[in-house]
Amino acid sequence: MTSRLPLRFVSLALVLTALSASAQQQVLDPAAVRHRLYSPQQHLELSLAVGLPAREYLTAHYNLNAALAYNFVESFALEARAGYALSRQTGLARSISESFLAREDKRITDELADMWQMGAHGVVGARWAPIYGKLSLLADTTAHFQAYLWAGGGLASLRRQSIIQCGQVIDRDQGVCDNRTDVADRSSATESYWRVETRAAPVVSGAVGLRFFLGPRHALRLELRDWIFADRYRVNVVREDWEAGRESGEPAPNPGFTHLVQFDLGYTFLF
């Protein structure tokens, strides 16, 4: 009996294989196994996107972008993006600035890193989409998508408002460095006296994303995007010197890079 077991297992395996092949032939829809239902090759496309911060520390950015791209082949395109970031300091940054003025142990200190806020920006990059796939959403509904990588660079306008250097202290105990009419209400201020710097700087951007085709001309884009630029701030700032109108401190020797990581939701129209 033992010697017959291998033969029985082989026979059973052959039967199951035949039944499986027969079932697949009956249930597979030819449309579901096409190579590509939607092809962007040699199409110009226009995209609009909104970027939300993936994390907030000292600044928060809400990006509005428009992009124009040309698909040379199905998996490769060049894209130009331009936009503007609505940025602000977070509650943590404001709390640090208000508590700093009253601290006697912070008369000589360093500025904080990652305080630059991005404004207008423009980049040009390449998009490589090696993966084309399909997701079965319902019994008769299949979502076609491309997975892609994006990399490029360009220029951005940057603005930095210090939370250390106040040019006109209104109330040191309360940490007030603006012209607010109510000490307890910072929204009543129309002018801030914290030091402000502006500059234009190179920016590099990279993204990983998916775009789901809604039809031959329409697609929905989901991205995780990183905006990278060189940081710059001062160290060894003497509070009394700055408040007296004298320049103080020196540039940080190794400031590193700032990363603005965002989730992007966008729409694409293919011409």
Side-chain angles (χ1 to χ4, degrees), residues 33 67 72 85 115 126-127 140 142 147 160 197 207 214 217-218 226 228 232 239 246 265-266:
V33 294
F72 292 93
M115 288 295 300
R127 184 179 65 219
D140 298 325
T142 302
R160 187 183 196 282
E197 300 175 76
L214 307 177
R217 300 294 184 187
H218 310 277
D226 189 8
I228 308 168
R232 192 169 73 186
R239 187 170 69 185
R246 298 185 294 270
L265 174 63

Side-chain angles (χ1 to χ4, degrees), residues 109-187:
T109 189
D110 298 341
E111 286 279 9
L112 277 68
D114 296 329
M115 288 295 300
W116 289 94
Q117 300 176 49
M118 187 168 66
H121 52 273
V123 291
V124 176
R127 184 179 65 219
W128 180 49
I131 300 175
Y132 182 96
K134 297 178 281 288
L135 293 176
S136 295
L137 302 179
L138 299 172
D140 298 325
T141 303
T142 302
H144 292 247
F145 70 90
Q146 276 186 317
Y148 61 87
L149 298 174
W150 197 103
L155 197 66
S157 64
L158 304 174
R159 179 182 184 274
R160 187 183 196 282
Q161 178 177 302
S162 175
I163 58 176
I164 300 299
Q165 301 178 74
C166 176
Q168 185 176 339
V169 179
I170 304 300
D171 189 322
R172 186 174 297 280
D173 292 334
Q174 297 294 324
V176 179
C177 186
D178 54 43
N179 66 344
R180 68 184 70 176
T181 56
D182 183 355
V183 173
D185 182 14
R186 65 168 66 95
S187 64

Side-chain angles (χ1 to χ4, degrees), residues 193-256:
Y193 305 127
W194 295 105
R195 177 179 180 174
V196 173
E197 300 175 76
T198 59
R199 64 185 174 112
V203 62
V204 174
S205 184
V208 56
L210 295 171
R211 64 176 183 174
F212 293 89
F213 292 97
L214 307 177
R217 300 294 184 187
H218 310 277
L220 180 68
R221 294 175 64 160
L222 301 175
E223 285 185 352
L224 180 63
R225 180 170 290 273
D226 189 8
W227 300 88
I228 308 168
F229 51 84
D231 199 359
R232 192 169 73 186
Y233 57 93
R234 302 183 73 81
V235 296
N236 299 322
V237 176
V238 180
R239 187 170 69 185
E240 284 78 5
D241 287 348
W242 177 255
E243 291 176 0
R246 298 185 294 270
E247 191 72 15
S248 181
E250 61 269 357
N254 298 296

